Amino acid sequence: MFRNYFKIAWRNLTGNKTYSAINIGGLAVGMAVAMLIGLWIYDELSFNKTHQHYSRIARVMQQQTLDGEVNTGNNVPAPLFKELQTSYGAAFERVVITSWLQRHVLSYDGASFTQPGNFMSTGAAEMLSLQIVSGSTAGLKDPATILLSASTAKAIFGDADPVDKTLKLNKELDVRVVGVYEDIPFNSEFHELAFIAPFDLFVSSTDWVKAAVENSEWESSSFQILVQLSANSDLQTVSNQIKNSKLRKAGANELKFNPQILLHPMSRWHLYSEWENGRNTGGRIQFVWLFGIIGVFVLLLACINFMNLSTARSEKRAKEVGIRKAIGSVRLQLVCQFFSESFLVVGLAFLLSMALAWLALPTFNEVADKHMQMPWRDQLFLVGGLIFALFTGFIAGSYPAFYLSSFQPVKALKGKWTPLGLRATLPRKILVVLQFTVSMTLIIGTVIVYKQILHAKSRPIGYNRQGLVTMLVNTHDIHMHFDAVLDDLVKTGSVTTMAESAGPPTEVFSANVGFNWKGKDPGLQSEFATIGISHDFGKTVGWDFMAGRDFTKTLASGLKSTPIIPAYHGGFSQQLALVHSLSRWQQ
């Protein structure tokens, strides 16, 4: 019987090629869009789950109160690392202190490679469950060692075994390769990690880090700390226990900010990264819900389109229904017949949608900044795809099946099959109105987003981007020969001026409090983002000074710590203090 259903369904499809092409094509496009959105949502929800200890890893966060507002960040003081190890050791299986991810120069045999990496204390590789390809992580106990990712090792050493070979870090430090680990998947917080060097090397080679560690500077929150909870530890309980760990140790200058320590689980790093006045308010999870709703609407549009096309051909199917009922067919058999046609169309549309999604995936990855692949061998994907197709077939075929099978045989054979009254026409009217409403909503939303993007690209940003080039410098070479480099560049005719800074003007790398000015409220504790710059920085980036002037090479030494504070001009959301003291950061 079912074989007969599908045979008739196939004949109906092949006998109406244009109608079938429109129906299958429209449904396939809708299913392909829903499939791509589904892959994106799955990638977002599975972020960081490649780490074996995912459920027990957390980041140590700090909250401080400034002018009645609670600010939350993942920058913490170095002494907190030892405090967590000694005072709360039973709660943690591992505690790791780490620098911030930055690009460094790796040199070997005359060739140099700029790669992002971190300085981490022992236990980091085990915490992140890195898959070691060659060598081991035990060698990281020696400060003059390094772990490389497989792609970085391939780029530097080719096919040769890199273990026990020595390379230079930032053209100054000799480090020995002790191990190579598989590249971390792209949907991980640590996917850019090209190398790991011991944190002890960071301490011994960097004066300000050494001072922060050896002098137990609780006021300098310049590091990150990751923890792996013990098997029998509860994250919220431990977070409450360590809440005042800094408050009990910090000096009087820090106490006025009421510093509080808490744990932020890895499961919430990616989707719940935003904080407002001390509360974790959300983050990318809003986009997951938004795109999920859009995917449902797009699929719903495709299903409604299928329903409307099917019911629009009711005149051609009316006599078929009348004859089948006249020779003894019951309504259930007709419902099964129309559902079989629906499932056949959806099955063909599903196969076509997978092909369309596969073809569109590379472009979609570029737009979404993802490295997703079609999981052809994943049983969960195949089962989910089957359920997805069956669900779509049921939704798309339900109304046509019950509508067409309701025709009375006598009226249908006499040509008086057309149902009359509100009950017959209302469902189709609702479907048409719903289809146009959803379509217009999506179109209007797209136009609004496009307008917002154009506004963001064209709004005043406080500096001149035209002809401005930023180059990351990982060594002191340019700083030590600044005038010579500038002179050579100017002679090329392509460069007019050059300046140095401790960071780009669009990012905040450090912040300070304690600034005073005439008329300041004594109780005001404003935090200023700070950046070290060289002379002529304002001229180079094209600042429009409302008062005063730019730092110059001939500026009196007594004014070197005078801040430049630009007015808010659309490009900066915080106050910005620029301090002419670049040498401090370079040291």
Side-chain angles (χ1 to χ4, degrees):
M1 182 172 62
F2 288 103
R3 181 181 178 184
N4 184 56
Y5 287 158
F6 281 101
K7 183 184 292 184
I8 295 173
W10 179 255
R11 287 175 180 173
N12 286 327
L13 286 180
T14 55
N16 301 275
K17 293 183 174 60
T18 302
Y19 160 80
S20 300
I22 294 174
N23 227 351
I24 294 173
L27 202 55
V29 171
M31 295 177 74
V33 172
M35 194 177 299
L36 289 173
I37 292 176
L39 287 173
W40 183 85
I41 292 176
Y42 177 78
D43 187 84
E44 290 290 298
L45 295 177
S46 61
F47 212 86
N48 286 326
K49 287 187 177 180
T50 53
H51 300 288
Q52 183 179 347
H53 309 297
Y54 164 82
S55 61
R56 293 193 287 130
I57 296 176
R59 177 182 282 133
V60 180
M61 308 284 286
Q62 179 179 199
Q63 293 182 336
Q64 293 180 303
T65 304
L66 294 172
D67 298 329
E69 183 176 350
V70 180
N71 297 322
T72 306
N74 58 344
N75 51 313
V76 294
L80 184 62
F81 170 60
K82 290 295 184 184
E83 176 69 12
L84 295 179
Q85 284 184 319
T86 55
S87 301
Y88 308 93
F92 305 113
E93 186 171 330
R94 295 184 180 91
V95 181
V96 172
I97 186 170
T98 170
S99 66
W100 303 91
L101 184 71
Q102 289 183 328
R103 291 187 171 272
H104 300 268
V105 178
L106 303 177
S107 305
Y108 178 77
D109 197 23
S112 296
F113 304 84
T114 302
Q115 297 290 343
N118 269 18
F119 293 92
M120 294 181 166
S121 60
T122 55
E126 291 78 9
M127 177 187 289
L128 301 178
S129 55
L130 300 183
Q131 303 298 314
I132 303 300
V133 177
S134 61
S136 71
T137 61
L140 281 179
K141 296 178 181 179
D142 177 4
T145 56
I146 194 170
L147 279 177
L148 300 178
S149 68
S151 59
T152 302
K154 176 75 173 178
I156 297 175
F157 299 101
D159 295 327
D161 185 5
V163 177
D164 289 331
K165 287 185 169 59
T166 300
L167 50 79
K168 276 193 177 294
L169 178 61
N170 292 334
K171 298 185 178 181
E172 297 175 356
L173 306 172
D174 289 323
V175 289
R176 179 173 56 89
V177 180
V178 294
V180 177
Y181 57 89
E182 289 184 3
D183 288 3
I184 301 174
F186 194 79
N187 64 337
S188 165
E189 190 90 3
F190 304 93
H191 72 273
E192 292 185 279
L193 199 62
F195 72 86
I196 298 176
F199 190 80
D200 289 341
L201 178 62
F202 191 36
V203 174
S204 62
S205 62
T206 313
D207 291 341
W208 71 269
V209 177
K210 187 176 183 179
V213 173
E214 294 183 352
N215 299 334
S216 295
E217 294 182 357
W218 284 94
E219 293 78 11
S220 178
S221 298
S222 304
F223 307 93
Q224 297 182 90
I225 294 179
L226 306 176
V227 297
Q228 180 183 333
L229 295 173
S230 301
N232 58 349
S233 295
D234 176 70
L235 185 138
Q236 190 56 51
T237 302
V238 176
S239 185
N240 293 334
Q241 290 174 350
I242 68 173
K243 181 178 180 179
N244 296 321
S245 54
K246 179 180 177 180
L247 195 63
R248 290 193 293 265
K249 297 286 185 177
N253 289 334
E254 285 291 298
L255 294 180
K256 59 187 176 184
F257 302 120
N258 189 29
Q260 304 288 323
I261 303 300
L262 69 149
L263 299 179
H264 192 219
M266 180 180 267
S267 59
R268 296 179 69 87
W269 290 2
H270 185 65
L271 296 179
Y272 298 89
S273 60
E274 294 181 0
W275 298 76
E276 184 176 345
N277 201 23
R279 294 177 59 251
N280 193 193
T281 55
R284 290 178 67 91
I285 188 63
Q286 299 171 354
F287 295 105
V288 171
W289 280 106
L290 175 63
F291 285 110
I293 293 172
I294 291 175
V296 170
F297 277 138
V298 170
L299 184 61
L300 183 62
L301 280 178
C303 292
I304 292 175
N305 186 64
F306 176 87
M307 296 178 190
N308 288 336
L309 286 174
S310 297
T311 54
R313 296 180 65 249
S314 56
E315 180 180 359
K316 296 183 178 180
R317 306 298 300 272
K319 290 187 177 181
E320 175 189 343
V321 172
I323 293 173
R324 291 174 68 91
K325 282 191 173 183
I327 61 177
S329 292
V330 295
R331 187 178 182 184
L332 178 61
Q333 292 176 320
L334 293 172
V335 169
C336 292
Q337 169 64 50
F338 291 122
F339 264 122
S340 66
E341 294 182 16
S342 171
F343 286 126
L344 180 60
V345 170
V346 170
L348 295 175
F350 179 67
L351 295 176
L352 180 58
S353 69
M354 287 198 295
L356 292 175
W358 177 69
L359 291 173
L361 192 57
T363 303
F364 184 71
N365 277 332
E366 290 184 12
V367 174
D369 191 25
K370 294 286 187 180
H371 285 193
M372 298 181 296
Q373 295 180 343
M374 293 293 289
W376 301 114
R377 299 181 181 179
D378 190 340
Q379 293 183 354
L380 182 62
F381 170 75
L382 297 178
V383 173
L386 179 61
I387 295 174
F388 172 63
L390 292 175
F391 176 76
T392 304
F394 178 79
I395 295 298
S398 56
Y399 177 59
F402 292 110
Y403 172 71
L404 295 176
S405 63
S406 66
F407 293 165
Q408 297 179 13
V410 175
K411 291 183 178 180
L413 292 173
K414 289 183 176 181
K416 300 179 180 180
W417 56 272
T418 305
L420 301 174
L422 182 62
R423 291 181 59 187
T425 58
L426 182 61
R428 286 193 63 187
K429 289 181 179 179
I430 292 175
L431 288 176
V432 171
V433 172
L434 181 61
Q435 184 178 19
F436 276 94
T437 301
V438 174
S439 299
M440 292 305 298
T441 301
L442 292 176
I443 292 172
I444 292 171
T446 302
V447 172
I448 292 174
V449 171
Y450 178 70
K451 294 277 189 181
Q452 288 293 320
I453 292 174
L454 290 181
H455 170 69
K457 292 173 65 177
S458 59
R459 67 173 181 168
I461 58 174
Y463 66 96
N464 186 9
R465 291 179 296 188
Q466 189 67 32
L468 187 63
V469 177
T470 300
M471 182 176 67
L472 181 65
V473 179
N474 299 100
T475 68
H476 296 170
D477 294 347
I478 292 182
H479 177 69
M480 299 302 295
H481 305 91
F482 180 85
D483 291 335
V485 173
L486 175 59
D487 186 58
D488 288 344
L489 290 174
V490 171
K491 287 179 179 178
T492 65
S494 301
V495 174
T496 57
T497 185
M498 182 177 77
E500 293 178 287
S501 71
T506 55
E507 296 185 46
V508 176
F509 287 170
S510 64
N512 295 89
V513 295
F515 290 95
N516 293 299
W517 57 89
K518 185 178 180 180
K520 176 192 174 186
D521 183 351
L524 186 64
Q525 294 292 339
S526 295
E527 184 179 55
F528 287 79
T530 56
I531 179 173
I533 61 171
S534 68
H535 59 83
D536 293 327
F537 182 82
K539 175 183 176 182
T540 302
V541 300
W543 277 345
D544 184 13
F545 284 88
M546 300 180 66
R549 61 183 176 88
D550 194 6
F551 288 135
T552 64
K553 196 172 183 179
T554 57
L555 186 67
S557 59
L559 299 176
K560 282 188 177 180
S561 60
T562 304
I564 298 177
I565 306 179
Y568 179 74
H569 199 236
F572 298 95
S573 59
Q574 302 185 40
Q575 296 165 305
L576 185 61
L578 300 177
V579 186
H580 187 70
S581 55
L582 183 65
S583 57
R584 175 183 166 211
W585 276 268
Q586 291 290 349
Q587 293 171 359

